[in-house]
């Protein structure tokens, strides 16, 4: 275990916001990149955040595809039908 890791296997050197900004490419902080070179815990946090973002992008794309066939995409005929719920 490195000095950056606690007994629970977490690291307090980089907060969640910095991890998110790093993953999004919006953090220009060399110390974060340097820390990631030496801390497997934070590298795992970055990997988890990237995976979560990819899952979110996939879900959004699927949602957008279903919205193309939603009431707005089906025309007036569908919109004028009574609610079937």
């Amino acid at each position: 275990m490195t000095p950056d890791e606690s007994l629970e296997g977490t690291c307090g050197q980089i907060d969640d916001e910095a991890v998110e900004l790093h993953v999004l490419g919006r953090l220009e902080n060399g110390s974060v990149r340097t820390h990631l070179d030496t801390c497997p815990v934070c590298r795992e946090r970055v990997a988890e955040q990237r995976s979560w973002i990819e899952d979110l992008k996939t879900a959004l794309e699927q949602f957008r595809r279903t919205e193309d066939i939603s009431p707005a995409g089906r025309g007036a005929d569908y919109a004028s039908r009574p609610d079937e719920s």
Side-chain angles (χ1 to χ4, degrees), residues 5-32:
E5 297 170 305
S6 72
L7 294 176
E8 294 87 38
T10 60
C11 175
Q13 294 291 315
I14 302 175
D15 64 15
D16 290 338
E17 183 178 5
V19 169
E20 182 178 343
L21 291 172
H22 172 76
V23 169
L24 295 173
R26 296 184 178 178
L27 184 67
E28 297 181 20
N29 184 334
S31 65
V32 169

Side-chain angles (χ1 to χ4, degrees), residues 6 29 34-35 51-52 56 61 66 69 73 78 83:
S6 72
N29 184 334
T34 300
H35 176 75
S51 177
W52 185 84
L56 187 59
E61 183 58 35
T66 60
I69 59 170
Y78 180 83
D83 185 12

